[in-house]
Amino acid sequence: MKKDYFRPAIAAMAGYMPGEQPDRKDMVKLNTNENPYPPSPEVEKTLRTLDCAQLRRYPNSTSDCVRDAAARLNGAARENIIAGNGSDDLLTMIFRAFTSPDLPMASINPSYTLYQDLAVMQEASVILIDLQPRTFALPPDLLEQAKVANLLMIARPNSPTGNSFPFAEVENICRKFDGMVVIDEAYADFADDTCMSLALSLPNVIVMRTMSKSYALAGVRVGYAVSSPAVIEGLMKLKDSYNVDGIAQAVAAAAMGDRAYLAGRVAAIKAARAKLAADLGGLGFEVVDSRANFVFARPPRGDGRGYFEFLRDRGVFIRFFDRPRTREYVRITVGTPEEMDILTGLTREYLKK
Ligand SMILES: *Cc1c(COP(=O)(O)O)cnc(C)c1O
């Protein structure tokens, strides 16, 4: 097919580049923030007792069992919640709803680059608001910079930097910004606090969660968004009719019901995160204060690419973002203690070079 049948905005775009999913048995995979542990045993139980005959039927179109499980977890009602085929699906709905050629999107930078790609698909202009050097804190003039936008994206904790932002600062932004604020809380289970209360009390705030990271269900594709019933009703108009498949709905609801399992795995990952940060710090890395299941760090000579390639050649995959503000750093997913030992061992070798 000839490329020029595409809308010019689509023909000109590169397309989002997801993290590599190499097909190697022996590798240590620390590049896409997956959970190193399996999901709750309730997930396996759900799959074993699945009635395959029911698969001939369409699933519940609004994923009500997922909404009810999420409502219980967050002190919300079913009407406050919409489920998606991963949070990426929710982001698609959100960008269709709140951006257009005359409704710009603002995002902190660096952050999840999919936000920019989704804006380009809408032909909406993109306002990038640079975080402060080294600390990656919010700039004091964020509201001024975001002023003309209709949608403001804040990942909290942020990716790839891993840090969080003070609740009071985010609350102030939500109260003063004249547009929709989306707080992407993909990593909130690894953090100390959440902005869920803002989504449930302010009319212009959406908080997003995913089952992909803390619940170890990236392969299943379920996320949800929380907001006022009016915003949720509006987003429902934009979703695919059966956007979450029946197996995914059952599995996600079962996982959300097992709070003790989640707490145990999150505690293990936080302990490994603290050790990784301390070890890298001891080796001369500059380590950003992480509230997520990964660490953003600058190797001693600031050669993010060299360190990334050194590890990759030895079967350890981390993430390197080749952009001006991130190329001196790498992002390392927190794995098991054994995986972290392999990483720090190779890091010592790298530093001897
Ligand atoms: C991983 C991630 C997501 C994507 O989550 P899915 O539910 O797997 O689509 C969304 N936002 C951020 C910031 C992420 O890191």
Side-chain angles (χ1 to χ4, degrees):
M1 191 166 63
K2 278 203 325 203
K3 186 176 154 199
D4 35 341
Y5 292 132
F6 284 94
R7 284 162 45 209
I10 305 302
M13 73 184 289
Y16 178 72
M17 185 58 88
E20 229 182 323
Q21 302 293 347
D23 192 17
R24 285 174 49 170
K25 275 212 170 60
D26 56 339
M27 67 177 167
V28 176
K29 191 172 179 306
L30 307 171
N31 68 335
T32 51
N33 300 340
E34 289 144 326
N35 202 305
Y37 302 109
S40 156
E42 293 301 316
V43 167
E44 193 165 342
K45 214 183 286 174
T46 303
L47 289 173
R48 276 188 200 289
T49 54
L50 192 82
D51 179 5
C52 289
Q54 287 302 313
L55 293 179
R56 70 194 172 82
R57 294 242 165 100
Y58 282 106
N60 179 276
S61 71
T62 48
S63 307
D64 289 340
C65 68
V66 174
R67 298 168 80 198
D68 290 346
R72 274 193 293 278
L73 273 181
N74 295 292
R78 180 190 283 186
E79 291 67 35
N80 292 114
I81 293 160
I82 183 168
N85 184 32
S87 5
D88 289 356
D89 179 36
L90 298 162
L91 287 167
T92 298
M93 298 176 213
I94 286 166
F95 275 74
R96 285 185 190 165
F98 303 111
T99 67
S100 71
D102 34 57
L103 296 173
M105 184 275 304
S107 167
I108 56 172
N109 181 53
S111 191
Y112 195 30
T113 57
L114 180 64
Y115 306 151
Q116 294 174 53
D117 291 310
L118 290 169
V120 169
M121 291 178 207
Q122 291 293 115
E123 299 183 42
S125 47
V126 172
I127 300 161
L128 289 182
I129 301 171
D130 283 348
L131 298 171
Q132 298 190 42
R134 301 170 81 97
T135 60
F136 298 103
L138 298 173
D141 64 344
L142 181 144
L143 277 167
E144 185 56 33
Q145 292 192 54
K147 207 162 65 185
V148 303
N150 191 51
L151 173 66
L152 171 60
M153 298 299 307
I154 301 177
R156 180 186 188 271
N158 190 30
S159 176
T161 60
N163 59 312
S164 190
F165 309 115
F167 178 87
E169 239 175 278
V170 176
E171 179 180 22
N172 181 55
I173 289 165
C174 292
R175 287 187 187 279
K176 293 191 176 146
F177 181 67
D178 183 19
M180 193 57 65
V181 183
V182 172
I183 305 167
D184 185 344
E185 291 198 338
Y187 301 100
D189 288 322
F190 304 104
D192 306 327
D193 63 355
T194 155
C195 289
M196 199 56 83
S197 63
L198 301 178
L200 294 171
S201 60
L202 299 175
N204 65 327
V205 178
I206 300 172
V207 165
M208 298 192 354
R209 292 286 179 89
T210 176
M211 302 299 292
S212 297
K213 315 285 168 49
S214 54
Y215 286 92
L217 287 173
V220 160
R221 315 302 307 131
V222 179
Y224 63 89
V226 180
S227 191
S228 69
V231 168
I232 297 303
E233 214 179 294
L235 290 175
M236 286 281 185
K237 295 193 247 177
L238 293 158
K239 74 172 191 64
D240 290 346
S241 310
Y242 303 102
N243 65 323
V244 185
D245 73 71
I247 300 172
Q249 289 184 31
V251 161
M256 276 191 263
D258 193 352
R259 296 190 200 197
Y261 182 85
L262 177 80
R265 296 307 197 191
V266 165
I269 290 168
K270 282 165 120 177
R273 174 181 78 195
K275 180 164 191 303
L276 174 64
D279 287 350
L280 291 177
L283 292 170
F285 282 59
E286 196 174 305
V287 183
V288 179
D289 189 21
S290 173
R291 292 290 178 277
N293 68 337
F294 57 86
V295 162
F296 197 57
R298 182 186 179 280
R301 290 180 300 268
D303 182 14
R305 179 193 294 281
Y307 179 58
F308 161 80
E309 287 175 351
F310 180 90
L311 293 176
R312 188 194 56 198
D313 293 347
R314 288 154 184 81
V316 175
F317 289 81
I318 61 172
R319 194 86 184 262
F320 168 64
F321 297 91
D322 194 6
R323 293 182 187 229
R325 303 212 62 217
T326 52
R327 64 171 64 102
E328 292 190 4
Y329 292 78
V330 294
R331 191 189 70 185
I332 305 169
T333 303
V334 176
T336 61
E338 297 72 32
E339 288 172 327
M340 297 295 92
D341 285 346
I342 294 171
L343 178 97
T344 44
L346 287 172
T347 302
R348 284 194 185 92
E349 265 180 52
Y350 166 77
L351 293 173
K352 279 192 215 123
K353 277 207 312 170

